[in-house]
Amino acid sequence: MRKALTTVLFAAVSLVAAAQSGTNSPYSQYGLGTLGEQSGGFNRGMNGLGIGFNEHNQVNSLNPASYATIDSLSFIFDAGISGQITSYSESGVKVNAKNANFEYVIAGFRLAKRLGLSFGLLPFSNIGYSYSNTKALNSTDGSTSVVKATNTYSGTGGLHQVYLGLGWSPFKGFAIGVNAAYLWGDYSRSVINSYTDAYANTLSKYYTAEVHNYKLDFGMQYTQKITKNDAITLGVTYGLGHKLSSDPKCQIISTNAQTAVADTATYSIGNGLELPHSYGVGLMWNHANRWRVGADYTLQKWSSVAYPKFDTSTNSYELVSGQFADRHKMTVGGEFCPDERSRSFFKRVHYRMGASYATDYLKIKGQNGPKEYSVSAGFGIPIVNGYNNRSLLNISAQWVRQDSKTFVTENSFRINIGLTFNERWFAKWKME
């Protein structure tokens, strides 16, 4: 089993490193793209809930303080994939798209008494879109012929993170933690304006950037016993905002359609990309390890982040404020497991539900981006065989609506599948 897990880990690293975007959203053409889920399989069944959760048999990367509660003698390995169908609609026109993606791979174990360690790969953002529109213009040579202009938009890329985290409990009921991540990736976007008039030049704009930097997230949890069977956990998280030492570039090429002669101008901004400061708080009520119900609130301070923009009036490429808005997200959800130590299969199944509301971090043409509504439901199905009865198959279904009266409305149905291996690795056997 250990050899199998090692093989899966290295395969996951290769898949994530070479992964293509798991989105077709036109909203991914702005900013750093569509923000990814940064959670494991059991969180996704509760729609991404987890800041106040600490599970002894699951890795909760949403709050690194939770690593302190991981079982001793256990090595936990969690890997997940997803598939989704999305319907895009605008002005009565509808288009459907399908995507599948390797989502994450995370692992964790007890390093020492009250000290847990976790590591893994998680998505940060996705970019993937391709569309065009055509409209009629007046002829440039004064004739009555109709000239058509076609604008083609496309982009690929995204950011990923590989992290190493520690969670430490200096005394019972209280834990602190940190995730230190290496953030990497790139994006390539293009806007091409072409015309049916042979005298009109084709104008192409290419926007590119590469990111190789760090990311730091801190967490704290405090658990207070209320009764013999009831406890409440308060969780707090903070993500450090900072510049990414990336130099985004803009290349503009004007091509003569008759002679194919191209005139190229290249612009660059030093240290032009940035992560926002982010804050999170969560509460979780635990009743007899059967019911776990909680709520999370997160705030990402994107409004303080400037982003590169090309100004056609001055032919300049520079950082411009006001292109982003603060992102707020509220999530409620919970989990029910009748008896995780029972010999009955069905009593060991975990039943999960969750719902969220979020505002977008984008501002498009001066207006706020779409609001997001989502719900999910899922199961944690125990895997029982001759040598292991602690592993889980986490399956969840999620519906997400990006609602906009002005721009594109998106409705997505997503299936998440995660396999959590829970192996007994560190036991010391005695011979009699």
Side-chain angles (χ1 to χ4, degrees):
M1 178 60 69
R2 297 187 191 187
K3 291 182 180 179
L5 291 180
T6 302
T7 302
V8 172
L9 177 60
F10 281 107
V13 171
S14 302
L15 283 169
V16 173
Q20 298 298 313
S21 172
T23 183
N24 292 102
S25 174
Y27 293 116
S28 68
Q29 68 184 293
Y30 304 103
L32 296 180
T34 300
L35 301 180
E37 293 276 355
Q38 299 183 41
S39 58
F42 92 97
N43 303 98
R44 297 186 183 213
M46 299 179 290
N47 217 50
L49 186 71
I51 295 177
F53 279 66
N54 45 59
E55 297 289 326
H56 66 97
N57 60 353
Q58 298 277 353
V59 181
N60 179 21
S61 57
L62 292 174
N63 191 333
S66 66
Y67 307 151
T69 62
I70 293 176
D71 280 340
S72 60
L73 309 181
S74 294
F75 181 86
I76 304 169
F77 180 91
D78 188 7
I81 59 174
S82 71
Q84 71 178 32
I85 300 174
T86 305
S87 173
Y88 304 93
S89 60
E90 183 183 24
S91 303
V93 178
K94 293 185 177 181
V95 177
N96 295 327
K98 299 178 181 179
N99 292 101
N101 207 27
F102 190 95
E103 288 285 341
Y104 65 90
V105 53
I106 53 182
F109 60 91
R110 178 74 65 85
L111 190 65
K113 186 177 182 180
R114 296 184 177 180
L115 180 65
L117 180 145
S118 176
F119 58 91
L121 295 105
L122 294 167
F124 181 82
S125 66
N126 286 316
I127 298 172
Y129 60 94
S130 179
Y131 67 96
S132 63
N133 56 56
T134 301
K135 61 181 179 179
L137 303 174
N138 293 327
S139 176
T140 58
D141 60 4
S143 66
T144 58
S145 61
V146 177
V147 176
K148 293 183 179 180
T150 300
N151 299 323
T152 303
Y153 306 84
S154 62
T156 59
L159 301 182
H160 310 282
Q161 55 182 321
V162 56
Y163 78 91
L164 178 66
L166 290 172
W168 176 52
S169 176
F171 55 87
K172 187 176 181 180
F174 179 77
I176 56 176
V178 59
N179 280 338
Y182 171 65
L183 188 69
W184 88 97
D186 57 37
Y187 66 74
S188 177
R189 294 176 169 126
S190 65
V191 181
I192 299 176
N193 311 114
S194 58
Y195 305 87
T196 56
D197 190 335
Y199 293 96
N201 287 4
T202 296
L203 187 65
S204 305
K205 298 178 183 177
Y206 299 94
Y207 302 91
T208 58
E210 291 187 9
V211 172
H212 300 277
N213 211 279
Y214 69 92
K215 183 173 179 287
L216 287 176
D217 295 282
F218 304 90
M220 181 275 291
Q221 287 185 339
Y222 176 71
T223 300
Q224 177 64 55
K225 272 276 192 181
I226 300 175
T227 67
K228 180 181 178 180
N229 291 321
D230 296 279
I232 290 181
T233 299
L234 170 67
V236 177
T237 59
Y238 167 69
L240 179 67
H242 60 88
K243 292 282 189 176
L244 292 175
S245 301
S246 175
D247 302 333
K249 293 179 173 60
C250 173
Q251 188 178 59
I252 300 179
I253 303 175
S254 179
T255 306
N256 188 295
Q258 292 181 312
T259 64
V261 175
D263 182 20
T264 303
T266 302
Y267 307 85
S268 179
I269 299 177
N271 205 10
L273 298 182
E274 185 178 355
L275 287 180
H277 296 281
S278 60
Y279 309 87
V281 60
L283 277 174
M284 187 267 288
W285 167 61
N286 183 337
H287 174 69
N289 289 326
R290 298 177 62 196
W291 287 95
R292 293 178 176 88
V293 180
D296 287 353
Y297 167 73
T298 58
L299 167 64
Q300 295 176 315
K301 295 289 291 180
W302 286 99
S303 63
S304 60
V305 174
Y307 189 75
K309 183 177 181 180
F310 183 78
D311 190 336
T312 55
S313 62
T314 59
N315 283 331
S316 61
Y317 188 53
E318 56 190 17
L319 291 177
V320 177
S321 299
Q323 299 188 72
F324 299 145
D326 290 342
R327 185 173 190 263
H328 304 266
K329 184 176 182 180
M330 276 290 304
T331 303
V332 294
E335 173 187 81
F336 172 66
C337 178
D339 186 357
E340 65 180 6
R341 300 185 185 278
S342 173
R343 293 186 178 182
S344 169
F345 175 86
F346 292 101
K347 286 186 178 181
R348 293 174 57 189
V349 174
H350 296 252
Y351 304 88
R352 303 173 179 131
M353 293 186 68
S356 298
Y357 165 77
T359 60
D360 203 352
Y361 79 102
L362 301 173
K363 282 193 173 182
I364 305 170
K365 298 179 180 178
Q367 300 184 47
N368 291 330
K371 294 179 173 60
E372 180 182 292
Y373 307 88
S374 58
V375 294
S376 69
F379 301 93
I381 303 172
I383 299 174
V384 180
N385 52 44
Y387 58 87
N388 187 308
N389 62 1
R390 300 188 298 174
S391 298
L392 288 172
L393 177 63
N394 295 305
I395 300 176
S396 62
Q398 185 183 35
W399 171 76
V400 182
R401 178 178 175 85
Q402 298 272 6
D403 191 23
S404 175
K405 296 181 180 179
T406 308
F407 308 110
V408 176
T409 294
E410 300 180 7
N411 284 283
S412 299
F413 179 75
R414 181 181 301 135
I415 296 293
N416 298 302
I417 301 175
L419 186 57
T420 302
F421 294 96
N422 191 327
E423 292 290 310
R424 190 178 180 91
W425 275 20
F426 304 105
K428 295 181 179 180
W429 299 97
K430 292 183 179 181
M431 299 293 292
E432 292 185 359

